[in-house]
Structures are given as structure tokens and as C-alpha cells.
Amino acid sequence: MPDSIDVAGYLARLGLPELTGHEPSVPALRALHRAHAERVPYECLEIHLGRPTTVCPAESVRRIVAGRGGYCFHLNGAFSALLRALGYRVTRHVAGVQGHADPMAAISGNHLVLTVSGLPSAESPEGDWLADLGMGDGLHGPLPLVEGHHSDGPFRYGLRASVVERGGWRFDHDPRCGFRGMDFRAGPARMSDFREKHEELITSPESGFVRVAMAARRDATGVDVMRGLTLSRIGTVSSTTVLGDEVTYFNALADIFGIVLPVADRAVLWPRVFEAHRRWEQRDR
């Protein structure tokens, strides 16, 4: 049974209320995916605010409708629930992201990815599409699930058969971005398949989400990424700056990522972000 969610509220958050009751189509899928990438940030701030989350799609939808974001289990879990409610044929898949420092690819379960089927077009004659809002600096729009090279704004990606998972797929990321690639299984996954890895990612001292408060937002010309106090723009124009004080930090969260926090949350988050950045600076000297 589809997850019970606030479809109207979700579409309003995406700025697409007119898509209520629409027929599934490639143009509509593109509009939904791009609006989600632009309006709903990839972020892990709840960890640093001491508020544990779950992988429940309905919970993630409520947080998105309320103005926040999440990472792959939240964003792709919620988006899959929205697409299903709108009549799309969506499959969730267990995946593994390969970082630049990782020696080899693996299906580690640290990522949830989506495919959408039943939408044939000239780009995807079989009608299959890769949808992924959970890579942070990843896709702006859905990609046709077809082997070869694909352009998405200023970035260039590759899709091919996975060499670590028989029947699976490999996504090769643009080398300018934050990780090397991602492999995913062909078969369907349940949200319960991600619970154990999610608990690790929100609690382990080795987790990148635990070590650094971060946010990312993709648009048509690139991606904004904030890690601690370092704000980067990657794309048609690239830049990096360090946010030097509390006001500048929270203004950037609001203006660039659309994350507006109440005073009580700001009082908790700022000292933790500042101290983590100070430790990083000392280690790097």
C-alpha cells in the first residue's frame, strides 16, 4: 500500500501545485526532480541538533513539507512516496557510494537510489529512468537508464553495467564532484533494508555526517556545498569561501539552502559547527 502522505503540501513545497492529479510523463518527472533538487536541500543538520531521524518515508515527507531536507534515505524515500502517490512506477534499490579514497566499489547499503519505469521516450526507448536526489552534488534531473555518457548542466556522468553486482548498474560521477561513483542492485529494496546503515550513519564517530554538519543544493548550473564553515560552488563558475561568523553562517543556510532555523536550534548548532571547524583547521596545519 502506498505511504500515506500530504501530496498537496509536498507539491506546494516544490512549487508545483498544478501537478496534482496529472498523468505520469517524462516532462512532469523532470519538473518534479529538478524542483526537488533546487528547493529541498541535502543536509544532515538534525544529527548535530541531537534529533534522531528514521528512514520512514512518511516521516521524511512531513519534515520536507515543514521546510527541511535530509540525505539519501530521507530524500529518495520521500520522493518515491510522492511519485507512487502520483501514479509513477517506482523501484527503490540498495546502492553503495564509492568515495575518492575508497579502493574499490561495493554495494555497501550506504545509499538508496530510485528507478522509474514505464515512460518510454527517444532518450529511453525502454522507458526506464534513474532518479536520485540523495547524492548531494549529484543529479539535477532524471537520467535515461541507458549505457553511455550523459550531460546534466555543467556535469558529465556515465552509466554502465556494474562490475561488482551482476545485473546492477554503475553511475560514474563527474570528477569535480564529491565522490567517484555509485553502484546499485537491480532488484527492489524495502526501506527496512536501510535501517541498520542509517543508524550507523547518524551515530558512528566515523560517519562523515557525524563529523561534519553539511548541506548541498543542486541547480541547473552547478551545486552549492557547505561543509562546516566552508562554502563551495562547483559548476559553470566555481569558488570556495570560509564563513567567518555566526550571522554569515546562518544567512548562508537560509539564503542558499533555504534552511531557516529557530533561535533555539541556532544556539545548539553554531558552537558545534564552530568547534568542529576549529579542530579541522588545527589538524590541517
Side-chain angles (χ1 to χ4, degrees):
M1 176 175 287
D3 300 297
S4 179
I5 64 169
D6 179 4
V7 174
Y10 204 153
L11 290 174
R13 172 83 161 89
L14 301 184
L16 297 170
E18 70 276 10
L19 291 186
T20 303
H22 82 289
E23 288 295 318
S25 68
V26 173
L29 176 63
R30 284 199 177 104
L32 288 162
H33 198 293
R34 290 170 177 169
H36 206 296
E38 293 175 7
R39 289 171 174 257
V40 182
Y42 178 98
E43 48 121 333
C44 65
L45 300 186
E46 292 298 271
I47 297 171
H48 298 268
L49 289 168
R51 291 195 289 255
T53 58
T54 74
V55 298
C56 171
E59 177 190 293
S60 298
V61 169
R62 288 192 293 272
R63 194 162 51 251
I64 289 170
V65 170
R68 292 291 301 281
Y71 61 91
C72 65
F73 302 145
H74 310 123
L75 300 180
N76 285 336
F79 192 56
S80 65
L82 174 64
L83 291 180
R84 287 177 177 178
L86 293 173
Y88 289 85
R89 290 163 49 188
V90 185
T91 303
R92 298 165 177 152
H93 304 269
V94 175
V97 169
Q98 181 188 14
H100 288 296
D102 296 334
M104 60 186 299
I107 306 290
S108 63
N110 68 355
H111 190 63
L112 159 65
V113 66
L114 310 175
T115 57
V116 180
S117 59
L119 297 176
S121 71
E123 297 168 279
S124 179
E126 299 298 318
D128 299 324
W129 298 81
L130 174 68
D132 195 336
L133 292 153
M135 290 192 271
D137 60 4
L139 304 183
H140 184 223
L143 295 185
L145 196 59
V146 176
E147 286 201 35
H149 294 288
H150 301 269
S151 295
D152 185 19
F155 302 126
R156 189 166 172 81
Y157 309 127
L159 281 173
R160 54 189 170 92
S162 171
V163 298
V164 298
E165 184 72 24
R166 185 178 179 85
W169 284 86
R170 167 73 175 187
F171 169 85
D172 291 309
H173 208 355
D174 190 291
R176 292 174 290 174
C177 295
F179 62 92
R180 192 180 303 179
M182 177 268 295
D183 290 76
F184 66 93
R185 293 187 181 131
R190 299 166 297 184
M191 290 306 300
S192 58
D193 295 331
F194 303 101
R195 284 177 187 154
E196 183 175 349
K197 181 59 71 172
H198 171 68
E199 288 301 313
E200 177 186 331
L201 290 173
I202 67 174
T203 60
S204 171
E206 301 304 312
S207 167
F209 292 151
V210 172
R211 293 199 307 268
V212 179
M214 66 90 62
R217 186 195 62 87
R218 180 68 211 274
D219 59 35
T221 63
V223 61
D224 296 295
V225 181
M226 182 189 288
R227 291 186 175 89
L229 298 181
T230 302
L231 176 64
S232 302
R233 175 70 182 178
I234 307 165
T236 305
V237 176
S238 297
S239 63
T240 299
T241 186
V242 175
L243 306 172
D245 57 70
E246 182 176 358
V247 172
T248 305
Y249 175 76
F250 286 111
N251 283 347
L253 273 183
D255 297 342
I256 298 173
F257 303 97
I259 301 172
V260 180
L261 297 176
V263 172
D265 284 356
R266 292 161 63 116
V268 171
L269 185 61
W270 171 250
R272 295 179 179 179
V273 172
F274 181 81
E275 178 59 23
H277 189 82
R278 186 185 67 81
R279 289 196 303 268
W280 173 78
E281 283 186 321
Q282 290 179 339
R283 183 196 62 188
D284 207 43
R285 286 174 182 168

